[in-house]
Amino acid sequence: MGQTKTIESNLKELELNALLEVTEAINNNLPEESLYKIYHFTLLANLKVKKLALFVITEEEWNCKVFFGVDEEVIKSIPVDQFEGEEKTKTLGDTECEEFDHVIPVMHKSQLLALVFVGDIAEIEGGISGKPATTFLEALTNIILVAIENKKLARQQLEQEAFKKELEIAKQVQNYLFPKNLPASDNFEVSAFYQPHHNVGGDYYDYIKIDDDKFLLCIADVSGKGVPAALMMSNFQASLRTLVRQTVDLETIVSELNYQIKFSGNGEIFITFFAAVYNTKTKRFKYVNCGHNPPFFRANGGKIVDLRLGTTVLGMFAPLPFIDIGILNDIHQFDLFCYTDGLNEAINRAEEEFGEEKIQATVHKFADSTPKKLNEAMMDSVDRFREEQEYRDDVTILSAKYKS
């Protein structure tokens, strides 16, 4: 009887020591790897567990984090998936797992966190106050894994907060991309609408007054979405505005932009781009389309046409394989409607795309309206078509109306 009490007392002391070591490690905020090492040492040295394999589920896959007393080949052969439904400690038969005696499911708030396979624990089968040794092993494992789970949650929260800050910075940067004021007079009006797919996006539009006689209108769309696309477009805008101060030659501008995109994006980022320069003195309208959706254009109240001349997508080839600058003379008044592919690729519940034909029909119907009313009509039309389906990409439209 006295010997039994001595065994129980010694075991209780060992378990308390193990608990203190693990608690101290958690309080010291040690990394996940260190916690697993302390768990390993505590079970092997203090509790005299001879065989153990701890499997933890991460991203819907089982990974063995700690094992001792058996070869690695044994670990690979354990049919872990077969024990996912266990909720209580189970005694294993030789056919289930030859090297281990028990499998212990470790739960937290009814969620299975881990499975512990243990073997050769007959010497301490009594446990504290007659409880099985597996009871304390389960409690110790639970403490370790819940601590690790909490560390993961805390890390995820920090990452989310960092991402939010990054997103806010990108959003602020992107706000600087777009012109604060667009022309809004009786003879010249420009209106734009922008809706990112996420909080920030890779679309861009601009109006740049070059001098008293010339101005530039443009629209662009970078491959990709989110923060990287927004930052790439920020660089693109800065480069474009710098180039426009140096030259109004569209061939030179697109060649230089293409070079910068090709090498700064390592050939992995592409930008579609449309730009037009109008000279109010000579009445000449020049444009270049770099793989962008062809804008709709009406000159002197005539027929609506699309503007396709130009080159390929920027950033794909260096140098560009060809450049055709569109030149339209004697343009005393014009209407221009530009858009990015988020508009024509909007889908309804039947997964049909809005398409260019519907865009063109709306442009024809509201050709004599102001740019602002045309944009509003276009968005009303696509919103009715979508039937509340989400947009698949950023949506940007730019409309302009000029008359001498």
Side-chain angles (χ1 to χ4, degrees):
M1 187 74 175
Q3 188 176 3
T4 302
K5 284 186 177 180
T6 302
I7 293 172
E8 285 185 7
S9 178
N10 290 340
L11 183 56
K12 186 174 182 179
E13 185 177 351
L14 288 171
E15 290 180 345
L16 287 174
N17 287 338
L19 190 59
L20 285 171
E21 284 185 24
V22 168
T23 304
E24 186 178 358
I26 292 169
N27 290 338
N28 289 334
N29 200 27
L30 294 181
E32 183 178 327
E33 187 179 346
S34 297
L35 291 178
Y36 282 128
K37 285 181 179 178
I38 289 169
Y39 174 79
H40 182 160
F41 175 79
T42 300
L43 295 181
L44 189 61
N46 290 0
L47 298 185
K48 311 297 182 184
V49 177
K50 293 183 179 179
K51 292 182 181 180
L52 179 136
L54 170 66
F55 286 87
V56 178
I57 190 162
T58 54
E59 297 179 358
E60 299 183 359
E61 287 188 1
W62 288 103
N63 292 293
C64 187
K65 297 292 186 178
V66 176
F67 75 91
F68 54 82
V70 291
D71 295 332
E72 190 172 351
E73 292 302 316
V74 172
I75 298 300
K76 292 178 181 178
S77 67
I78 298 174
V80 184
D81 294 346
Q82 292 182 16
F83 302 97
E84 287 181 351
E86 301 295 336
E87 295 182 359
K88 294 181 180 179
T89 299
K90 179 183 179 182
T91 302
L92 299 173
D94 291 342
T95 56
E96 291 177 296
C97 202
E98 187 177 347
E99 295 287 341
F100 296 102
D101 303 323
H102 301 85
V103 59
I104 307 167
V106 180
M107 314 290 291
H108 179 59
K109 295 180 180 179
S110 73
Q111 179 186 356
L112 180 64
L113 296 182
L115 289 168
V116 187
F117 294 83
V118 289
D120 291 353
I121 58 171
E123 294 178 15
I124 55 170
E125 196 65 45
I128 296 177
S129 302
K131 292 181 181 178
T134 53
T135 302
F136 183 78
L137 184 56
E138 180 181 351
L140 190 69
T141 308
N142 187 274
I143 290 169
I144 284 280
L145 289 178
V146 169
I148 289 172
E149 193 71 16
N150 288 337
K151 286 170 73 70
K152 285 179 182 176
L153 291 173
R155 187 167 62 246
Q156 287 172 1
Q157 188 175 357
L158 288 172
E159 288 172 354
Q160 286 175 357
E161 288 174 1
F163 178 72
K164 283 180 182 178
K165 288 180 181 178
E166 183 182 300
L167 202 61
E168 188 60 35
I169 292 169
K171 197 172 182 179
Q172 290 174 5
V173 168
Q174 191 170 46
N175 286 337
Y176 292 122
L177 292 183
F178 304 115
K180 291 182 179 179
N181 300 302
L182 294 172
S185 63
D186 291 339
N187 71 312
F188 184 33
E189 182 183 344
V190 179
S191 180
F193 172 85
Y194 169 66
Q195 180 172 296
H197 182 250
H198 300 295
N199 287 329
V200 293
D203 283 5
Y204 161 62
Y205 68 85
D206 213 343
Y207 159 78
I208 303 172
K209 184 177 180 180
I210 299 168
D211 56 35
D212 291 341
D213 300 325
K214 294 183 286 293
F215 60 81
L216 177 142
L217 291 167
C218 71
I219 192 167
D221 184 3
V222 66
S223 59
K225 301 177 183 69
V227 175
L231 295 178
M232 184 63 191
M233 196 54 84
S234 175
N235 291 333
F236 180 83
Q237 184 251 27
S239 300
L240 173 62
R241 284 182 167 259
T242 300
L243 286 165
V244 169
R245 286 200 299 268
Q246 299 169 0
T247 179
V248 293
D249 181 68
L250 289 175
E251 185 169 348
T252 301
I253 289 172
V254 297
S255 295
E256 186 60 31
L257 288 172
N258 178 70
Y259 177 84
Q260 292 184 24
I261 297 163
K262 173 69 175 175
F263 292 100
S264 64
N266 296 317
E268 297 176 358
I269 295 176
F270 312 110
I271 294 180
T272 65
F273 176 57
F274 172 86
V277 173
Y278 181 67
N279 189 317
T280 60
K281 191 173 182 179
T282 64
K283 310 302 178 188
R284 178 174 289 174
F285 184 96
K286 289 185 176 181
Y287 75 89
V288 62
N289 188 334
C290 307
H292 197 81
N293 303 87
F296 294 107
F297 182 80
R298 182 172 71 159
N300 304 327
K303 183 181 177 182
I304 295 175
V305 297
D306 49 19
L307 304 180
R308 296 179 176 272
L309 286 178
T311 184
T312 187
V313 175
L314 301 182
M316 190 172 291
F317 305 103
L320 289 166
F322 63 91
I323 304 176
D324 296 322
I325 303 300
I327 301 175
L328 303 171
N329 294 308
D330 200 28
I331 307 297
H332 294 270
Q333 65 181 63
F334 68 82
D335 300 276
L336 178 69
F337 179 82
C338 310
Y339 62 98
T340 58
D341 56 14
L343 181 67
N344 60 285
E345 291 178 359
I347 59 169
N348 60 16
R349 289 174 188 169
E351 296 194 355
E352 299 166 330
E353 289 191 348
F354 188 60
E356 291 183 11
E357 289 184 6
K358 291 182 180 66
I359 295 172
Q360 189 172 14
T362 305
V363 170
H364 274 273
K365 185 176 180 180
F366 291 89
D368 295 323
S369 300
T370 64
K372 184 178 179 181
K373 286 184 178 178
L374 170 57
N375 289 354
E376 289 172 351
M378 187 65 70
M379 294 313 301
D380 286 343
S381 179
V382 72
D383 285 343
R384 287 194 303 272
F385 172 82
R386 286 190 302 116
E387 301 172 312
E388 298 183 350
Q389 294 293 102
E390 286 189 6
Y391 286 104
R392 297 190 292 183
D393 202 351
D394 308 328
V395 176
T396 303
I397 55 181
L398 176 73
S399 300
K401 184 183 284 285
Y402 176 85
K403 57 183 177 181
S404 349

